[in-house]
Amino acid sequence: MYLDTIGTIFVSILGGGLPGIITGMATNIIVNFFVSGYLYFSIINVLLALITSWFAHYSKLNRIIRVVAFILVSSAVCSVLGMEIQYLVEGLPMMVNLEEVSKLLYSGDGKGYFVSLTFVAFFLNIVDKGISLFIAIIAIKLIPESVKTNISNAGWKQKPMSLEDIRSYRKKVGRKTVLNKVSFILATTIIMLSIILVSISISFYYEDCKEEYTNEVYAVVESAASVIDGDQISEYVKWGKRATGYRDTEKILQMLLDNTQGVEKLSVFIAEKNGYMYIFQEAKPDVEILDNGKILPYMEQYTDLIQQFIDGEVVDELIYSEDKSVFSASYPIRNSNGDVVAYVIADVYMSFLSEYARDYLLKTFLCFSGFILLIMVMGFTHAGYNLVFPINSITQASSLFLASHGDQKALDENVRRTRALGIRTDDEIEALYIALCKMESEMAEYVRDLRHYAEVTKKMQNGLIITLAGMVENRDVSSSSHVQNTAAYVRIILNGLKRKGYYPEKISDEYMEQLEMSAPLHDIGKINLPDSIVSKHGELTDEEAEVMKNHTVYGREIIDRAIETVKGESYLKEARNMAAYHHERWDGTGYPEGLHGEVIPLSARIMALADYLDTLTSPRGFKISYSLEEALEMIQAESGKYFDPKCVEALNDSIVEVRAILNKNITRRY
């Protein structure tokens, strides 16, 4: 049942179309806070208000027939439009029972199922509109006649005209009225501004995507090249999937691909004079994969780069397909002698933007359609009460004047059209002008908001890049793979927690991405520590250990300043928690604040375990590395003391993924 329409029907009968539309739009906005996507149905409540107002105030049918006709017409409009919107926009809320009943009538798919769904919705709407109308009529009956009369006459600026007088006036002047001109101007302006808004938004989105995916594709190919053993390439070519380490490499490449948004295909190939040969290919669903191990002719976009590939040179430029819908980046794979033996190449598909543009245009239209009709009806009603009916003779003169000028074109003529609607009547002209200015201002603000969001995002990314670059330039405490390993372990632990169903209220896809992005910043506070302590290869003295503990405080302060710069983006908050509390212990004996149990932020508990695991399995300074089994035994011994037991359990269930990370960095252990 959609009994939220009671208010729309009640107000439309009592006060007319415009108050009914406002009520319907307000209802849609309020319900949208509780049912996401409800705003797309705003056009239905707007049309329902207009239908109700027409049947209540203008229909010539007798009362019984009018009630029946209203229920049938409103039900047909609501059911057809409702199902059409459900069909056009994916993911909108739909009643499960409605689908179940429809399947009883038609078990197949396609148009037949849509018709049966609409049929069931129609009969549901008959019951709904009947109940809503009955409740609205009962409520209206309870209102005193004097109050209803005052409400009905509230908009008139002269003696109220009867329904017969209004009909006579409309029949006399025909279609050439100020009301029609107002409606045309409002519709034209809104549509043009909407088109401009959508065009600018899509243009900004395309440029942002291109820049973001360009950075991403270079990072992916460089990461992929770093995990592939160049000395094994000949073995991979000879034995394929049977070669030692081949399947582990496949898993790593797939993991890299899965952790990217824009990259659709990740491949490794060898360049020959007569073509190229794929060794590895990992792709997302619906992306074509060619045969590995076969010499394939070079694609057209590689024509100018063939010799560079054959000569084993580094190709820094992006490679575009002929229609610019796909661009690629490559990175060389070197063997232990430094020779280029193969290339990693990643493909980014930009064809999704056409689907995005279509969906964006459709959703924008559905969201704003109710507002568009609201503004049009508001202008119609305002002109009727304040200009047309009070000044009948002036209206007729204005109609003749407008008719003598013919049609007007282009945006620069819209101002003259607006002025021609009234004849030196400041109130009417000013009200319409304010409405248009308000509409344009709101749309301009929307575009500015898009730009501001893009600038904040870019600013945030630049801030992180600068921070990380400063850390790398000023310190060399551990191997460059430490931050990569800990980030990978954080993702592995998060996946394990999610599989176990632990902390479901916290662990979302967005949260997991935030933590993986934040992991490299966990030791950023060491920037403020002396070189003599940070770079010391032997054991620290007690005094030095106390100084070392301050890196958690420094890290929090550094990231707090970054948060102030970018206005508190959420993933930086998690980065701050990691930096500040990753040395806290589950039993409360850690530092800097001695937090315990779940009082310690989840991100810091996960980071503590990931950091400890990499510390145990990586040689660093005076310390040798432990095997994975030894490290897990040591971690298990600290479960419930140092570490969150749930995190330890999640790690123990993810040994395969952990081993893949260790195998990638096997050379570090010798």
Side-chain angles (χ1 to χ4, degrees), residues 269-301:
F269 72 90
I270 295 176
E272 303 287 351
K273 291 184 178 180
N274 57 338
Y276 65 99
M277 180 175 65
Y278 282 125
I279 305 174
F280 295 96
Q281 290 182 87
E282 301 297 332
K284 293 183 177 178
D286 300 327
V287 176
E288 181 183 5
I289 293 181
L290 303 176
D291 293 334
N292 288 336
K294 292 184 178 180
I295 299 295
L296 302 172
Y298 285 103
M299 288 179 279
E300 192 170 329
Q301 59 263 37

Side-chain angles (χ1 to χ4, degrees), residues 452-469:
H452 176 69
Y453 177 77
E455 290 173 0
V456 168
T457 302
K458 186 184 296 183
K459 193 175 181 182
M460 179 176 58
Q461 293 171 342
N462 290 341
L464 283 176
I465 292 171
I466 291 171
T467 302
L468 291 172

Side-chain angles (χ1 to χ4, degrees), residues 20-37:
I21 292 175
I22 294 174
T23 304
M25 288 299 302
T27 301
N28 277 96
I29 293 172
I30 293 172
V31 176
N32 192 70
F33 285 105
F34 304 95
V35 183
S36 179

Side-chain angles (χ1 to χ4, degrees), residues 120-293:
V120 174
F122 173 69
F123 281 97
L124 175 64
N125 272 285
I126 288 177
V127 178
D128 171 71
K129 299 304 177 289
I131 295 175
S132 298
L133 180 61
F134 176 78
I135 296 174
I137 291 175
I138 294 298
I140 290 173
K141 291 289 185 182
L142 299 175
I143 300 175
E145 287 298 326
S146 59
V147 176
K148 289 191 286 187
T149 301
N150 290 336
I151 293 174
S152 178
N153 296 335
W156 290 98
K157 303 302 180 182
Q158 62 176 53
K159 182 181 178 180
M161 296 175 63
S162 66
L163 183 59
E164 289 72 20
D165 292 337
I166 295 174
R167 286 173 177 166
S168 175
Y169 166 74
R170 288 178 175 173
K171 184 176 180 181
K172 180 171 60 177
V173 300
R175 295 183 179 180
K176 297 180 180 179
T177 64
V178 174
L179 298 179
N180 290 339
K181 297 294 181 180
V182 169
S183 300
F184 175 77
I185 291 174
L186 286 172
T188 301
T189 305
I190 292 171
I191 290 171
M192 294 187 71
L193 287 175
S194 299
I195 293 173
I196 293 172
L197 171 64
V198 171
S199 300
I200 293 175
S201 300
I202 292 175
S203 176
F204 285 161
Y205 182 79
Y206 177 84
E207 292 301 324
D208 287 345
C209 282
K210 184 178 178 182
E211 181 178 354
E212 178 184 349
Y213 291 165
T214 298
N215 295 333
E216 184 180 54
V217 74
Y218 277 122
V220 167
V221 294
E222 186 173 354
S223 297
S226 68
V227 303
I228 297 175
D229 187 353
D231 294 331
Q232 285 288 103
I233 292 297
S234 59
E235 293 296 315
Y236 295 155
V237 173
K238 182 177 180 181
W239 298 106
K241 294 181 181 294
R242 293 175 296 170
T244 302
Y246 187 95
R247 295 191 182 275
D248 289 338
T249 303
E250 272 190 324
K251 290 179 181 179
I252 295 172
L253 293 177
Q254 185 63 52
M255 182 178 66
L256 285 173
L257 183 64
D258 292 341
N259 288 329
T260 64
Q261 181 179 359
V263 177
E264 298 289 323
K265 183 178 180 182
L266 187 60
S267 311
V268 177
F269 72 90
I270 295 176
E272 303 287 351
K273 291 184 178 180
N274 57 338
Y276 65 99
M277 180 175 65
Y278 282 125
I279 305 174
F280 295 96
Q281 290 182 87
E282 301 297 332
K284 293 183 177 178
D286 300 327
V287 176
E288 181 183 5
I289 293 181
L290 303 176
D291 293 334
N292 288 336

Side-chain angles (χ1 to χ4, degrees), residues 556-568:
R556 178 173 55 194
E557 293 173 351
I558 291 170
I559 299 179
D560 274 335
R561 290 196 295 271
I563 290 174
E564 292 177 4
T565 302
V566 297
K567 306 303 181 185

Side-chain angles (χ1 to χ4, degrees), residues 220-430:
V220 167
V221 294
E222 186 173 354
S223 297
S226 68
V227 303
I228 297 175
D229 187 353
D231 294 331
Q232 285 288 103
I233 292 297
S234 59
E235 293 296 315
Y236 295 155
V237 173
K238 182 177 180 181
W239 298 106
K241 294 181 181 294
R242 293 175 296 170
T244 302
Y246 187 95
R247 295 191 182 275
D248 289 338
T249 303
E250 272 190 324
K251 290 179 181 179
I252 295 172
L253 293 177
Q254 185 63 52
M255 182 178 66
L256 285 173
L257 183 64
D258 292 341
N259 288 329
T260 64
Q261 181 179 359
V263 177
E264 298 289 323
K265 183 178 180 182
L266 187 60
S267 311
V268 177
F269 72 90
I270 295 176
E272 303 287 351
K273 291 184 178 180
N274 57 338
Y276 65 99
M277 180 175 65
Y278 282 125
I279 305 174
F280 295 96
Q281 290 182 87
E282 301 297 332
K284 293 183 177 178
D286 300 327
V287 176
E288 181 183 5
I289 293 181
L290 303 176
D291 293 334
N292 288 336
K294 292 184 178 180
I295 299 295
L296 302 172
Y298 285 103
M299 288 179 279
E300 192 170 329
Q301 59 263 37
Y302 293 162
T303 303
D304 297 334
L305 305 171
I306 294 175
Q307 194 58 46
Q308 290 180 256
F309 283 130
I310 295 173
D311 295 340
E313 298 178 5
V314 177
V315 178
D316 292 329
E317 61 186 280
L318 291 174
I319 306 168
Y320 288 90
S321 63
E322 187 175 358
D323 59 0
K324 304 295 183 181
S325 63
V326 180
F327 68 84
S328 310
S330 64
Y331 199 86
I333 300 173
R334 302 179 184 274
N335 59 20
S336 56
N337 295 325
D339 300 325
V340 175
V341 293
Y343 289 89
V344 178
I345 191 162
D347 299 332
V348 175
Y349 291 69
M350 301 294 285
S351 56
F352 74 95
L353 282 178
S354 61
E355 298 178 3
Y356 168 84
R358 183 181 66 251
D359 292 340
Y360 184 85
L361 185 61
L362 173 63
K363 291 179 179 180
T364 300
F365 170 76
L366 290 175
C367 282
F368 283 97
S369 58
F371 292 101
I372 291 172
L373 286 179
L374 170 62
I375 296 173
M376 291 176 63
V377 173
M378 185 180 294
F380 184 94
T381 304
H382 182 81
Y385 283 131
N386 293 277
L387 178 62
V388 179
F389 298 124
I391 315 173
N392 191 6
S393 58
I394 296 179
T395 301
Q396 294 180 33
S398 178
S399 297
L400 293 174
F401 172 78
L402 292 172
S404 65
H405 283 75
D407 295 333
Q408 299 179 349
K409 301 177 180 179
L411 278 174
D412 59 340
E413 296 181 355
N414 285 342
V415 174
R416 284 201 296 266
R417 288 188 176 186
T418 302
R419 293 174 180 171
L421 294 177
I423 303 186
R424 305 295 181 182
T425 51
D426 296 337
D427 292 341
E428 291 75 8
I429 303 268
E430 185 178 358

